[in-house]
Amino acid sequence: MNICMIGTGYVGLVTGTCFAELGNKVICVDNDPRKIGLLKKGEMPIYEPGLEELVHKNVKAGRLSFSMSIADAIKTADFAFIAVGTPPRSDGSADLSYVENVSREIAQNLKKYLVIVEKSTVPVETCEWVKKTVSKYNRKKIPFDVVSNPEFLREGTAVTDFLKPDRVIVGLESDRAKKSVQKLYGPLKCPILFTDTKSAEIIKHASNSFLATKISYINSVAKICEKVGANVEQVAEGMGFDPRIGRSFLNAGCGFGGFCFPKDLEAFLWISKKLGADFEMLEAVKKVNEEQIIHFVHKIEEALWIINGKTVGILGLAFKPNTDDMRFAPSIDIIRMLQERGAKIQAYDPISMPNAKKVLQNVALKDSVYDVAKGADCLVIVTEWPQFRKIDLGKIKKLLSHPTIIDGRNLFLPENMKKLGFHYSSIGRKSV
Ligand code: UDX
């Protein structure tokens, strides 16, 4: 089938490339000449494991190409996916102007029946607005359908998440669109849930907010564990055996970040308020997350007593491992709070340092974990990159001015750290 994928961010580029991998002919469109220029040269505008190889393979096979023109790309398309940004406005609502622009441009260039798929994370009822907008500018009255197909891709594992999904959610209104969508997603051999468009949109809001709730829940439990000397890892394991709860997303830490959870939480709160159906629980989820970051900085303060003038080494800057994404990364707030207290910061991240440079000030970015430890008064772990678990702790101990590690992702066992002679403080476990 022919697909026009509009927007080459994390969602659009991964989705478009994976559809090409499934044998479709895909044109990825973006109005950013820099991104299209890079992609045409075979370079990736983002870091996502496995994506670059898949892009090269499908470009070579003639199934994937890049363009700046929606008009050209939808000429032969069976589907037009809208995967453009919906950035947050200051009141928490999503800015839908890119979605509106693209809908209008699709309408003005319609040549034949088209299934328009809303893929961007959008507030409930956006599909209806897309439909109204396309109808308004579709002067030749070409038939079309608008479908809501929310994405559930996690950065860092987005390619696998696409190719092996738990489920595909499709909100639609017509049998004609349903047949096309079944054909498109059929090769993935996964459950496809067809719903009305508003339910599909709410599934996205509700899923991300629920996952964020799980994290804030376990972070609140972690605080109780700290008070009584229990171990949150064991508590999560015990809870996770119950299939009604499940172990995933019960990792206590120094707070969640990224471009999805904080933004989607705000957007769902904003919508619920607008609809007069206040979702107070989500206010608490947000507050717990904000406080968790402050709580983590207090742990650093407890370990150092006076932060002013001390050198703090930060390990991990990206909002999670296997991504270069710094958007709403907890590291940004943690570093800001430490700097406000007079700390000198040196930091290392395996992938995100070029992006980190753009958002962090007065941070000495180092070439390795060991360079960060050198001369630091303590080491602070913010992102759980798998390679950090394998660091030579003996070497780290010698390089640090004081053998102190404050671990925001519970990478090590407190008893081992004690044996190695560290002062080690983590989340929801006894400090040693
Ligand atoms: C999320 C959703 O998981 C995905 O389905 C959706 O489509 C996009 O948003 P992503 O933002 O890539 O994906 O990251 P995710 O793996 O969900 O992690 C989000 C944040 O939560 C990270 O900062 C992570 O460190 C934190 N987290 C996650 C925890 O603190 N504890 C956990 O147990 C899991």
Side-chain angles (χ1 to χ4, degrees), residues 255-317:
F256 60 75
F259 202 54
C260 289
F261 283 178
K263 171 176 90 98
D264 293 357
L265 205 57
E266 283 289 355
F268 205 17
L269 264 168
W270 184 85
I271 293 159
S272 64
K273 276 190 195 136
K274 194 180 115 192
L275 296 172
D278 234 353
F279 204 156
E280 273 179 37
M281 203 169 101
L282 296 186
E283 292 282 8
V285 171
K286 192 179 136 190
K287 187 164 162 260
V288 167
N289 197 50
E290 286 160 2
E291 284 174 0
Q292 189 66 6
I293 293 176
I294 299 168
H295 179 62
F296 185 60
V297 172
H298 284 161
K299 275 178 184 286
I300 304 170
E301 211 154 27
E302 258 170 37
L304 294 179
W305 185 30
I306 304 295
I307 289 185
N308 191 23
K310 302 259 168 71
T311 299
V312 178
I314 305 279
L315 286 193
L317 296 168

Side-chain angles (χ1 to χ4, degrees), residues 123-186:
V124 59
E125 296 181 329
T126 301
C127 250
E128 280 194 359
W129 278 106
V130 171
K131 192 173 166 188
K132 277 185 207 159
T133 308
V134 177
S135 304
K136 190 164 141 193
Y137 294 96
N138 175 15
R139 301 253 152 74
K140 293 182 192 147
K141 302 284 169 240
I142 312 263
F144 71 95
D145 275 303
V146 180
V147 164
S148 165
N149 175 214
E151 58 84 18
F152 299 100
L153 309 176
R154 288 164 301 173
E155 288 180 28
T157 52
V159 170
T160 327
D161 285 349
F162 183 94
L163 294 170
K164 293 187 173 72
D166 313 317
R167 80 305 205 185
V168 167
I169 304 291
V170 190
L172 40 65
E173 289 164 350
S174 92
D175 279 342
R176 189 173 183 186
K178 188 173 176 180
K179 278 192 193 116
S180 300
V181 170
Q182 271 167 330
K183 207 168 144 195
L184 182 67
Y185 278 110

Side-chain angles (χ1 to χ4, degrees), residues 200-266:
E201 289 166 331
I202 290 186
I203 287 170
K204 171 71 194 203
H205 291 303
S207 298
N208 270 7
S209 303
F210 188 78
L211 292 171
T213 304
K214 267 188 111 173
I215 301 170
S216 278
Y217 187 89
I218 200 69
N219 282 339
S220 300
V221 172
K223 275 193 182 158
I224 295 175
C225 290
E226 283 169 15
K227 296 263 183 221
V228 300
N231 182 327
V232 74
E233 299 288 321
Q234 292 173 1
V235 173
E237 197 184 345
M239 289 168 68
F241 275 114
D242 185 333
R244 293 170 302 175
I245 299 173
R247 174 64 182 83
S248 64
F249 277 72
L250 284 183
N251 295 321
C254 53
F256 60 75
F259 202 54
C260 289
F261 283 178
K263 171 176 90 98
D264 293 357
L265 205 57
E266 283 289 355

Side-chain angles (χ1 to χ4, degrees), residues 293 296-301 304 307-314 331-346 378 380 382:
I293 293 176
F296 185 60
V297 172
H298 284 161
K299 275 178 184 286
I300 304 170
E301 211 154 27
L304 294 179
I307 289 185
N308 191 23
K310 302 259 168 71
T311 299
V312 178
I314 305 279
S331 65
I332 298 173
D333 287 330
I334 293 167
I335 289 174
R336 180 185 44 76
M337 285 184 229
L338 290 171
Q339 286 175 330
E340 280 165 5
R341 288 164 173 74
K344 285 181 239 152
I345 307 290
Q346 49 196 41
C378 73
V380 172
V382 179

